[in-house]
Amino acid sequence: MRIVLAEDSTLLREGLARLLADEGHLVVAAVADADQLVTAVEQHHPDAVVTDVRMPPTNTDDGLRAALEIRRRWPRIAVLVLSQYVEKRYAAKLLADRSEGVGYVLKDRVAQVEDFLDALDRVAAGATALDPEVVRQLLSATSHTDPLNRLTARERDVLHHMAQGHTNAAIAERLHVSQSAVEKHINTIFDKLDLSHVTGYSRRVLAILRYLGS
């Protein structure tokens, strides 16, 4: 996979570049600010981008804004965003237009190499990858009036894995149930979230966005 990497911390940037290279990926550019990121993507047209949220020039959400621009200008490029903390509004912005080929994970996940690489692979394959901690906080933040509270513990488990971007088959394997059982749970989730009759949009995406808007 050809990757453009953007991270203002020299130590982390070099560490990520080495990790990705060891896994057989080609880091075609490793940059330190958001402007350089967009320029590098325009020049190299990589398969995927891995970028920090907070970077120069303003050290606020420059990396996120660059990621959104990349998704708008080059929709086939997968984007994996790294963040120091859980920011629901960042995850919501990334998923606002479409959920394909995008991920939002915490920097701590990088230390768990297999999880980080799995998220990158899922995003590159066109799926969604949300950090488990992001999903946990989104769940715990729901109020008592939220429709999510209608879900059973098992349905919450299924939605938890959906939000991380796992397929029905992968969810079934992780929960040690049949794929048909997962499909039944998902249909029940759609019913309880009043998404059963929605047309023109992915109900799966809308269910995840229901987290993000809570």
Side-chain angles (χ1 to χ4, degrees):
M1 193 187 314
R2 299 173 68 255
I3 297 172
V4 168
L5 173 64
E7 166 60 54
D8 63 320
S9 165
T10 302
L11 185 63
L12 182 54
R13 184 173 66 250
E14 291 180 351
L16 280 170
R18 188 176 303 112
L19 169 63
L20 293 168
D22 288 345
E23 290 297 319
H25 300 302
L26 176 62
V27 178
V28 294
V31 300
D33 68 54
D35 293 338
Q36 292 177 353
L37 169 58
V38 175
T39 300
V41 169
E42 188 171 23
Q43 179 180 353
H44 295 286
H45 291 278
D47 301 307
V49 166
V50 178
T51 180
D52 189 7
V53 168
R54 297 181 183 274
M55 286 195 302
T58 70
N59 290 308
T60 55
D61 62 349
D62 299 80
L64 176 71
R65 287 188 282 111
L68 294 173
E69 179 179 349
I70 291 165
R71 280 174 60 74
R72 176 179 58 80
R73 294 176 59 184
W74 301 283
R76 293 187 178 183
I77 296 177
V79 175
L80 181 63
V81 172
L82 306 179
S83 180
Q84 190 70 42
Y85 309 104
V86 175
E87 293 279 2
K88 289 196 293 182
R89 67 182 186 278
Y90 291 162
K93 285 181 179 179
L94 282 170
L95 294 173
D97 291 333
R98 54 192 172 84
S99 64
E100 298 85 0
V102 65
Y104 178 93
V105 301
L106 297 181
K107 284 188 175 181
D108 289 347
R109 196 66 50 193
V110 176
Q112 301 175 38
V113 176
E114 290 186 3
D115 290 343
F116 168 69
L117 294 173
D118 177 64
L120 179 60
D121 287 342
R122 278 186 280 142
V123 168
T128 307
L130 286 181
D131 192 283
E133 179 63 17
V134 176
V135 176
R136 188 193 68 77
Q137 290 200 25
L138 292 171
L139 274 174
S140 64
T142 57
S143 70
H144 68 280
T145 59
D146 195 286
L148 290 170
N149 287 314
R150 304 173 190 168
L151 304 182
T152 65
R154 175 60 80 185
E155 289 159 1
R156 281 176 169 265
D157 287 341
V158 171
L159 188 51
H160 175 94
H161 290 293
M162 286 169 61
Q164 292 181 52
H166 295 298
T167 64
N168 290 1
I171 295 172
E173 181 178 353
R174 288 167 180 266
L175 297 181
H176 306 291
V177 298
S178 68
Q179 189 167 334
S180 62
V182 171
E183 292 168 355
K184 289 178 182 177
H185 285 309
I186 291 174
N187 286 331
T188 301
I189 290 169
F190 292 154
D191 286 338
K192 291 183 177 181
L193 298 184
D194 299 321
L195 299 174
S196 295
H197 304 293
V198 171
T199 59
Y201 297 92
S202 166
R203 292 182 297 174
R204 200 179 188 98
V205 173
L206 290 174
I208 295 170
L209 288 175
R210 190 65 61 87
Y211 275 148
L212 304 178
S214 63

